Each structure stands twice: as C-alpha cells, then as structure tokens.
Amino acid sequence: MKKSKNRKNISLRKKAISLVLFAATLLSLITVSVSGIFYSFNMFDHYKLLAEQLADTAASMMSAEDITRYYNEVKQIGPYDDDKYNNDESYREAYDKKVNALKDEEYQQMLDTLFTFEDQSKNRNDIKYIYVQVLEGDHVTYIFDADHTEDQYQLGTVRPVSAEVIDEDGLENGVPAFTSNDPDDGWLCSCMRPVRDADGKPVALVGVDISMSRVVKLGVVYLITLIAIVLFITALLIWILIRGVEKSLVKPINKLSKAARSFVEDKGEELNKESTISKLNIHTGDEVETLWESIRHMEQEINAYITHLTAVTAEKERIGAELELATRIQADMLPNIYPAFPERDDLDIYASMTPAKEVGGDFYDFFLVDDSHLAMVMADVSGKGVPAALFMMMSKILIQNTVMNGKSPADALMTVNNQICANNREEMFVTVWLGIVDLKSGLLTAANAGHEKPIVKSPDGEFEFFSDKHGFVIGGMDGLKYHNYEIQMSKGSKLFLYTDGVAEATNESKELFGIERTLDALNSCKDASPKTILDAVKQSVDAFVGTAPQFDDLTMLCFEFKGKEKNLTVDATLDNVATVIDFVENESHKLPFSKRSVNQLNIAVDEIISNVARYAYGEGTGQVSVSIDSDSEGITLTVTDGGTPYNPLEKDDPDISLSADERGVGGYGIFIVKNTMDKVDYDYKDGKNILTIRKNYD
C-alpha cells in the first residue's frame, strides 16, 4: 500500500514510552487527586468534631442564670442601634456606659474563663473566636466575646443572623459544625452549642471559631510531599517499564525487522542462504516469540515459493518468447506491407488483424492469381490461441495453393475441405469467404463456407449487405460442394470483409457492437481509402467497447476496384479507323454486350473517327484519342481531338420520310450514332473537341 507523503513513522520504542508516560501521568493524577480529597474530608471532619467538643466544653463553663440576667438587663437599656453605635460617638459613649455598669464581678469571671480557655487551646487547636450570644428571632445579642482585638463585641451588641444557620427548633440543638471561607479571617470551622439552665432549657449559644489555615498549610505540604513521592515512584516505575518493554518487546521486534529487511536484500544474492531470521534466538515466552516462529516459518515458505516461482517464471518467459515469435511468424504469414501492389493503379486494398490473445485464429489473405485476377480470403478458425493459429496457417496455405492451381472459389473450397477432413482428429473447423475478382472487367466470383456476409458499396451508393449463399464450414464434413456467385464491381466499387469479432465486440454492459453500428461506421467515411475506412471502424469498435476486455479476434479487409483506364491515341487518318474499331471491339467483347450492340458500337466509332480524320484538321494531320470506361451498367467512350471546333449535335437530323434524292447526301452518320447509342454529349474545352457516347448493357 502506498504511504502518505506527509505521514511520519513513529518507532515502537517511542510509542511504548509515550504510552507508559501517559499511563503513569494519569495514575499519578488520580492518586494525588484521590489522596487530596480523602485528606480534605478527613481533616474537615476532624475539625468539625473538635469544634463541637470545644463548644460543648465552653458551654459547660457558662452560667445559664447569669447569662439570662445579663440579657434581660441589656434589653431594659433599650434597643441597640448599630448604625448609631458606629457613627454617633455620643450614642456609643452613652450606650457603653450603661452596658459597662451591668458588668459585675461574675460577668468578668465568666469572660476571663472564656479568655483562659481560648488561650490554653490556641496553640493546639487554633481557636480564633469564642463568644456567647442569645438568639431571638432573626438576630442575636452578644453577651460575651473573648476577642483581644478592638473588634470585640460588647455586651448587648446585636447582629442579624441567617435563618438557614439556625435549626428550626431554635436553641434546642445549637448549630452543627460547618466550614466557611471568610475574606478577612480565612478558612474557619464554626460550631454553636446551647447553654442550658437547671431545667435543661437552652438559654444561649456558645460559639467557637477554629482557624483552618494550619489545615490548609498542612494540606499543601501533604500534597507537595505526596506529589514528590508519587513522581519519584512513577519515574522509577517508568524506567523499569521502559527497560522491560525494550528488553521484551522493542529489541526483539527491531531484531525481527532488521532480519526481515536483510532477508529481502539477500534474496538477490543467494536464494538458499540461511537468513538472519533463522539465526535469531528469541525466547521471550510470549507473543513476540510466537511472531518470530511465524516469521521463520514464513521465511521457509517464501524460499520454497521463490524457488518454484523462479522455475515457473523461467518457463513462462520461454513460453512468452515462443509466443512472441509465433505472433511475428503469424503476422509475417499475412500480407502486411502496404501499399500491397504499388505498381498497379486499378485497385486499392488494406487489411488488419487484432488478435484477442498472443496469436489468433482469424486470418485474411489476398494475392494475384495472374496479372488480371486478384484472390481475397477472409476466414475465422474455431477456438483461440496457439491451436487455432496452427490450424489457421495450414488452412491459409491450402487455400492459396488450391487457388493458384486455377480452381474457382467453389472448387477450391471443396478441395480444401476434403483435405482438412481427411485428418482432422481435433474436429476443428474454419469459416471461409473466398473471392476472385477480374481486374479487367470488375467481375467478382466468390463462394462462402459459413462465413459472414460481405458488405458491398457501389460507386455512388453506400455500404450494404450482399446476401450470398452460405455453404457449410470447412472441416465440418467431407464431400461437400460449394457454389459460386458473382458480383459485378464498377470503377469506385468497394468490398468490406470481416470476422464476427467486429459485430460481436462487447462493451462493459454486455451489449454487442452489432451490424447496424458496423454499417454506420463504414458509411461515415464511405468515400475514403480502404485504410481510412478500416481505421474508422476500429476506432468505432474501441470507443464502443471502452475498458471491456477484447473477447474475439478483430479482422477486417477492404478492397476498392478502381479499374484500369483504357486509352488509345492515334493519328487522325482514315487508315487508323480500323485500329480504333479493333480497340473498342476488344474491350466490348469482355462486357455483357450482345453481338448487335457490339456492331452498333463499331459503326458509331467508325463514323466518329472518320469524320475527325476528314474534317478536324483540314489539310494537316493531328491526333485523336479514345478512352473507354465501363461500369456495372454499360460503357462510355470519349473521343478527343484538337481540330477545328465543331459540334456535330448541332447539325439537323435528316428527314427520313423523304426519298434519297430529296434528302441529299450527308448527316446520316451522326444521326445513326444518336439513335443507336443511349447518350451522346459534346463539349469544347481547353482547345479540344470532346464527344462522349454511352451504351448500356442489353
């Protein structure tokens, strides 16, 4: 698999160290967090219990009767106004004077008791405040406040209290211990216990505030110490784990990796050399040892596989070289040099074969039987590959030899069929279309042994199927007879031959290229050369098939009959009239004319050439040229001379209803020409008289 260019490989050692560090860090954080939480809960619970004990002890030292008396006396002084007390000095002095008058010896003794209790416990318990207050409604009235600072609350000081702090039963149970963080005093643990009278009824609350700054400091020291210990232990464990991972995992795997890389590099030197993997001795007792054993076994299997693969590859290369040679031999067996007949201008032919495998079973052939006859073959052998190629070459040679012996297409196919059936134990067969065209007349004689129908184009028409009679395939049954049929090709006619690999070319959707697409491809460039036509068909097939694999051999041949231009140029004399007549008569006898039509052509030629000899050049002597062009419907003669311009068609026809004496002499020759020929035209061009006559077949 291709690796991403931006991706960086991370070693197993780094991954292991990272994993261990992550696990150790996470474990350390959890340990420190849990320890800190447990420490906080335990210390807070301890201080709450301590505050409750100190509050109970202080409450037991107080006299409920005296506290009640002080509270009642303070109430008689009048309501306490906190704003006035803080802002009105005269009010404060008057109020303090009244309150101080209430402080008797018992009051001072109880206050000293609280101070003494506070001082004795401060060094051990960090008592910050001890005070006694009476709860009434949503406010309290201070009776005692053991505070050495100026912020000491005097007897009768009234302060509001939150209803949430006091139990719904009021003074019955006091206020349970709780912690708070005061901006001025820091962390405090507070508790209030009731002072009860002789009947057990609570009359006041004794409050104790313990400073927890020491707890916080001890907590910080504890956490720092704990973190240091955890870090040390964690570092030690990390070191031990990393050493263990390196020893039991990283180093063995690195050895395996190095050995595997060495195994790959050494394969190009010695195949059977013992590799580093086999030399390793890994006994970790875990999955790494299992991995080593698996890799060692895999090494043995790879060595065996490479040995086998080397032999198979060598054999495959030998077969491939032989197949490549067979491909070249097969290609050389078929005509492959173009233009095929560069010295001839009466034909154009081109063929191609694209095998589905290295060698194919299709074949084509064309060769000159003699100077005026061309044989063409299109065949398709059953099967593919080398067997089909061998059968194809044998069939090609037999067909060519038989045709060269002078046999017609039907007789040649019959002879070849009997020869193949005589020794065809593999029961292979071949479809063959064989045709021989007369290059003088354009007459094509053909026979079909189970092959595809030929496609023919007339000079001015389009490519169309020619429905011929099919015989049985060659090699299918001996003793068969085949039948010839004829196609008259005119100048410009074309013949397209092919195998079923064209029409049956299949795309990825399992659709066939088909006959209609074949005709469309042919007619898209019907007037082009045979090579251009075959290239267009091949491109259409390739575009249709797309990326689908080629299923069958693709073989095509296109032949164009151009005809040989027949010209004769002689001096325009009466002595050469017979020469021209013989030239025309010789060509007309090759065409399907009746004797009467040949005579009419001779008379017309005699009249035209005689007139040129007598009148075209006056007293001088010039030349006259006659060209013959034949097609599927008739013959066209063109007579050209450079004499005085003269259009014989402008001469009035003689009145044949009059007697010979009345009609006079002259004008009968051209009249006969116009009435015996199917078409007569005259043109004067480039200083030449051009007379064209047309005679259709009977």
Side-chain angles (χ1 to χ4, degrees):
M1 181 181 293
K2 187 176 181 181
K3 294 182 179 180
S4 173
K5 294 182 179 179
N6 297 326
R7 182 177 179 180
K8 295 183 178 179
N9 292 329
I10 302 176
S11 66
L12 181 61
R13 183 176 184 273
K14 291 182 179 180
K15 290 182 179 179
I17 293 175
S18 299
L19 182 61
V20 170
L21 287 175
F22 175 76
T25 303
L26 182 63
L27 182 62
S28 300
L29 290 175
I30 294 174
T31 301
V32 171
S33 299
V34 172
S35 299
I37 292 172
F38 274 104
Y39 173 83
S40 299
F41 280 140
N42 290 334
M43 292 303 296
F44 284 175
D45 289 344
H46 169 74
Y47 270 81
K48 286 180 181 179
L49 179 61
L50 179 62
E52 291 176 355
Q53 292 175 350
L54 292 175
D56 286 337
T57 301
S60 64
M61 297 178 182
M62 297 295 101
S63 171
E65 291 77 6
D66 290 336
I67 291 173
T68 301
R69 177 169 56 84
Y70 294 141
Y71 175 70
N72 291 330
E73 291 176 352
V74 167
K75 287 183 65 177
Q76 291 177 2
I77 294 176
Y80 173 80
D81 191 334
D82 190 60
D83 291 336
K84 285 186 177 182
Y85 187 86
N86 292 325
N87 299 317
D88 189 345
E89 185 177 355
S90 60
Y91 175 82
R92 183 169 58 255
E93 291 177 355
Y95 187 84
D96 289 343
K97 184 178 180 180
K98 294 177 182 179
V99 170
N100 290 332
L102 300 178
K103 295 179 180 179
D104 53 11
E105 185 177 352
E106 288 81 2
Y107 180 89
Q108 193 62 42
Q109 288 179 352
M110 292 178 65
L111 181 60
D112 291 341
T113 299
L114 291 177
F115 274 120
T116 301
F117 181 77
E118 177 185 3
D119 293 339
Q120 290 177 350
S121 302
K122 181 167 293 188
N123 294 331
R124 292 174 298 165
N125 302 316
D126 290 336
I127 295 178
K128 194 171 186 66
Y129 303 114
I130 296 181
Y131 47 87
V132 178
Q133 56 190 10
V134 177
L135 175 65
E136 186 177 6
D138 59 353
H139 62 275
V140 294
T141 301
Y142 277 83
I143 305 300
F144 300 105
D145 182 12
D147 187 358
H148 294 288
T149 68
E150 296 180 355
D151 295 332
Q152 179 186 37
Y153 288 130
Q154 298 297 324
L155 173 63
T157 303
V158 179
R159 284 288 181 270
V161 63
S162 174
E164 297 176 356
V165 177
I166 306 302
D167 188 83
E168 60 182 3
D169 295 332
L171 299 179
E172 186 65 31
N173 298 315
V175 179
F178 63 93
T179 60
S180 62
N181 187 10
D182 187 86
D184 298 327
D185 299 325
W187 281 97
L188 297 176
C189 182
S190 304
C191 181
M192 295 182 183
R193 288 299 187 184
V195 178
R196 303 180 184 276
D197 57 13
D199 298 329
K201 180 180 179 182
V203 297
L205 293 174
V206 176
V208 177
D209 294 338
I210 301 176
S211 174
M212 297 186 67
S213 58
R214 182 183 300 180
V215 176
V216 175
K217 293 178 181 179
L218 290 176
V220 172
V221 173
Y222 170 78
L223 288 177
I224 293 174
T225 304
L226 179 63
I227 290 173
I229 294 173
V230 169
L231 289 177
F232 174 77
I233 296 175
T234 301
L236 181 61
L237 289 176
I238 289 174
W239 182 80
I240 294 173
L241 287 174
I242 291 175
R243 290 296 300 273
V245 168
E246 286 186 347
K247 182 178 180 180
S248 61
L249 183 62
V250 176
K251 288 184 178 180
I253 289 180
N254 285 337
K255 290 180 179 179
L256 283 175
S257 175
K258 183 178 179 181
R261 186 163 51 250
S262 175
F263 170 74
V264 174
E265 294 172 352
D266 292 343
K267 286 303 100 180
E269 300 175 1
E270 283 189 59
L271 183 61
N272 297 319
K273 178 182 177 182
E274 184 180 14
S275 72
T276 311
I277 298 177
S278 300
K279 295 178 181 178
L280 291 177
N281 189 18
I282 298 177
H283 296 288
T284 58
D286 53 17
E287 288 80 359
V288 176
E289 182 177 350
T290 303
L291 176 62
W292 169 65
E293 293 175 350
S294 299
I295 294 177
R296 187 175 61 176
H297 177 70
M298 181 183 67
E299 175 196 20
Q300 297 170 354
E301 294 293 330
I302 290 176
N303 282 333
Y305 174 76
I306 291 176
T307 302
H308 176 70
L309 182 61
T310 302
V312 171
T313 302
E315 180 66 16
K316 186 175 181 181
E317 289 177 352
R318 183 186 65 81
I319 295 175
E322 293 180 356
L323 282 176
E324 184 179 356
L325 179 60
T327 302
R328 294 200 300 269
I329 292 174
Q330 184 184 37
D332 293 340
M333 287 285 293
L334 304 179
N336 52 46
I337 298 177
Y338 299 98
F341 308 103
E343 73 283 357
R344 304 188 68 106
D345 57 2
D346 54 348
L347 67 93
D348 189 7
I349 191 168
Y350 193 85
S352 66
M353 184 186 74
T354 306
K357 293 187 176 181
E358 289 83 357
V359 290
D362 289 3
F363 73 91
Y364 65 86
D365 197 8
F366 54 84
F367 51 90
L368 285 171
V369 181
D370 53 40
D371 188 59
S372 60
H373 290 85
L374 175 72
M376 294 176 287
V377 182
M378 181 62 63
D380 186 358
V381 177
S382 60
K384 301 289 182 294
V386 175
L390 293 174
F391 196 81
M392 158 253 167
M393 287 189 283
M394 177 187 68
S395 302
K396 176 186 179 299
I397 294 172
L398 290 175
I399 293 172
Q400 185 175 10
N401 290 341
T402 305
V403 172
M404 292 301 292
N405 286 332
K407 292 184 179 293
S408 68
D411 292 339
L413 292 182
M414 181 178 65
T415 301
V416 172
N417 178 61
N418 292 335
Q419 290 174 337
I420 290 178
C421 289
N423 189 19
N424 188 19
R425 288 179 295 179
E426 301 303 324
E427 297 183 350
M428 298 186 70
F429 62 88
V430 55
T431 65
V432 181
W433 184 96
L434 172 60
I436 301 175
V437 60
D438 186 341
L439 297 175
K440 292 182 178 180
S441 64
L443 184 64
L444 173 65
T445 303
N448 194 329
H451 197 73
E452 306 294 326
K453 297 177 181 179
I455 300 177
V456 181
K457 175 190 176 298
S458 60
D460 299 323
E462 294 188 338
F463 280 98
E464 297 178 349
F465 277 101
F466 185 89
S467 297
D468 58 357
K469 294 181 180 180
H470 279 49
F472 200 53
V473 297
I474 300 297
M477 183 184 303
D478 61 355
L480 294 176
K481 291 185 178 181
Y482 297 90
H483 301 282
N484 291 321
Y485 64 88
E486 295 179 346
I487 301 176
Q488 180 61 54
M489 301 191 72
S490 304
K491 184 177 180 180
S493 296
K494 292 175 182 175
L495 173 70
F496 178 76
L497 304 175
Y498 58 99
T499 58
D500 56 4
V502 177
E504 295 179 4
T506 307
N507 61 14
E508 293 178 339
S509 302
K510 306 302 180 183
E511 294 179 309
L512 299 180
F513 186 69
I515 297 301
E516 294 300 326
R517 290 189 179 91
T518 303
L519 288 175
D520 291 341
L522 289 170
N523 289 318
S524 66
C525 54
K526 60 184 179 180
D527 296 323
S529 66
K531 181 182 184 306
T532 303
I533 291 174
L534 294 195
D535 290 342
V537 175
K538 181 66 167 58
Q539 290 175 4
S540 297
V541 172
D542 291 343
F544 175 80
V545 171
T547 58
Q550 183 178 343
F551 176 75
D552 199 357
D553 301 337
L554 192 68
T555 307
M556 301 177 288
L557 181 149
C558 185
F559 166 74
E560 180 180 5
F561 178 67
K562 293 185 174 181
K564 188 171 183 181
E565 188 175 357
K566 305 169 185 67
N567 291 311
L568 176 65
T569 301
V570 296
D571 290 337
T573 64
L574 293 176
D575 293 336
N576 287 328
V577 173
T579 303
V580 177
I581 292 175
D582 291 340
F583 169 68
V584 175
E585 184 176 9
N586 183 53
E587 294 297 329
S588 61
H589 277 308
K590 300 176 184 179
L591 302 173
F593 282 118
S594 65
K595 185 176 181 180
R596 178 174 176 272
S597 295
V598 174
N599 290 331
Q600 289 175 345
L601 280 170
N602 292 339
I603 293 172
V605 171
D606 185 357
E607 176 64 27
I608 294 171
I609 300 302
S610 296
N611 285 340
V612 173
R614 290 189 180 100
Y615 308 113
Y617 295 100
E619 297 298 330
T621 301
Q623 289 186 325
V624 61
S625 297
V626 180
S627 64
I628 302 175
D629 187 15
S630 60
D631 54 35
S632 59
E633 297 180 356
I635 189 173
T636 301
L637 303 180
T638 303
V639 180
T640 305
D641 68 79
T644 303
Y646 175 71
N647 183 2
L649 301 182
E650 294 179 350
K651 185 176 179 61
D652 295 335
D653 294 337
D655 187 355
I656 59 175
S657 63
L658 300 177
S659 63
D661 293 335
E662 292 176 329
R663 291 196 299 269
V665 180
Y668 289 100
I670 194 61
F671 176 74
I672 294 173
V673 172
K674 289 194 290 184
N675 282 275
T676 57
M677 298 296 105
D678 292 292
K679 186 177 182 182
V680 181
D681 291 318
Y682 170 82
D683 188 18
Y684 184 80
K685 186 176 182 181
D686 298 331
K688 294 184 180 297
N689 295 297
I690 303 173
L691 184 67
T692 304
I693 62 175
R694 171 78 179 180
K695 182 65 175 177
N696 295 331
Y697 300 133
D698 297 328

